[in-house]
Amino acid sequence: EDKVVQSPLSLVVHEGDTVTLNCSYEVTNFRSLLWYKQEKKAPTFLFMLTSSGIEKKSGRLSSILDKKELFSILNITATQTGDSAVYLCAAPGFGNEKLTFGTGTRLTIIP
Amino acid sequence: KAGVTQTPRYLIKTRGQQVTLSCSPISGHRSVSWYQQTPGQGLQFLFEYFSETQRNKGNFPGRFSGRQFSNSRSEMNVSTLELGDSALYLCASSLGHFQETQYFGPGTRLLVL
């Protein structure tokens, strides 16, 4: 069965700090790994990673995939209170019919 | 382009009743997936529809069913509701089969009393 594990489960930091969120996976026929941010309701898409070692960047957020070690990290620099959310990583299963999600990392930024 | 819409946004039902939730995907998207999110279990896959056909189903009992219409809109039905069915139900759409980027709707919060 496909498995996605995130750590830490929760993280509390001060505004301006840099954080690193971790995601490891065991997925049959791996194709990609996705990161989402969930604030109140719907998860919003952040990144899709398919190739090892190539960093994807969007403003203060960046992410990279290591297909040899089967993990990905999401970095947020100069954190702001608006970054407080649950960050989810997910991987499509065999045939891409479904996403297997990790339990998420709850990030809280203290002003 | 309008995002994924779900109706209703909130529902309160009692045990034993049934419920139907609706999802309209982003225009042009043909794949709709449904997920259940609870504090204890996180986000869990229910099923995915593409071109009116169910492509895959998660590990949920037969009380959970769905369908997709020719315009790609999808409905999910839960019969004989149980207290444990209280959850946020999310649908997500994507362009088509093998398109991994799924865009989520706001969800329907179901409370079963």
Side-chain angles (χ1 to χ4, degrees), chain A residues 8-9 11-12 17 22 24 29 40 49 55 68 71 80 82 86 88-89 92 108:
Chain A
L9 288 180
L11 193 53
V12 181
D17 287 351
N22 304 294
S24 64
N29 294 324
K40 291 207 190 304
L49 303 159
E55 187 184 51
K68 186 178 171 193
F71 78 91
Q80 302 171 357
V86 174
L88 297 159
C89 74
T108 304

Side-chain angles (χ1 to χ4, degrees), chain A residues 2-110:
Chain A
D2 294 341
K3 199 163 133 184
V4 175
V5 178
Q6 290 185 249
S7 64
L9 288 180
S10 67
L11 193 53
V12 181
V13 299
H14 287 96
E15 204 167 18
D17 287 351
T18 293
V19 297
T20 298
L21 311 183
N22 304 294
C23 175
S24 64
Y25 62 88
E26 292 173 29
V27 174
T28 306
N29 294 324
F30 177 82
R31 290 175 59 89
S32 63
L33 188 127
L34 295 91
W35 283 95
Y36 287 87
K37 176 183 181 183
Q38 186 173 26
E39 291 178 83
K40 291 207 190 304
K41 287 282 163 65
T44 53
F45 173 76
L46 293 173
F47 298 111
M48 182 172 79
L49 303 159
T50 55
S51 302
S52 249
I54 297 175
E55 187 184 51
K56 289 226 173 170
K57 215 166 155 56
S58 175
R60 296 175 294 102
L61 278 66
S62 64
S63 185
I64 198 159
L65 176 69
D66 184 328
K67 287 165 81 170
K68 186 178 171 193
E69 300 297 329
L70 307 183
F71 78 91
S72 172
I73 59 171
L74 174 69
N75 274 325
I76 309 175
T77 59
T79 51
Q80 302 171 357
T81 53
D83 296 327
S84 294
V86 174
Y87 290 84
L88 297 159
C89 74
F94 177 72
N96 295 326
E97 293 95 344
K98 65 172 185 174
L99 288 174
T100 298
F101 279 87
T103 49
T105 293
R106 181 173 294 279
L107 176 64
T108 304
I109 310 296
I110 301 170

Side-chain angles (χ1 to χ4, degrees), chain A residues 31 36 38 41-42 95 98, chain B residues 10 37 45 98 100 102 105-106:
Chain A
R31 290 175 59 89
Y36 287 87
Q38 186 173 26
K41 287 282 163 65
K98 65 172 185 174
Chain B
Y10 302 92
Q37 188 173 33
F45 173 78
F98 302 117
E100 297 97 336
Q102 296 185 2

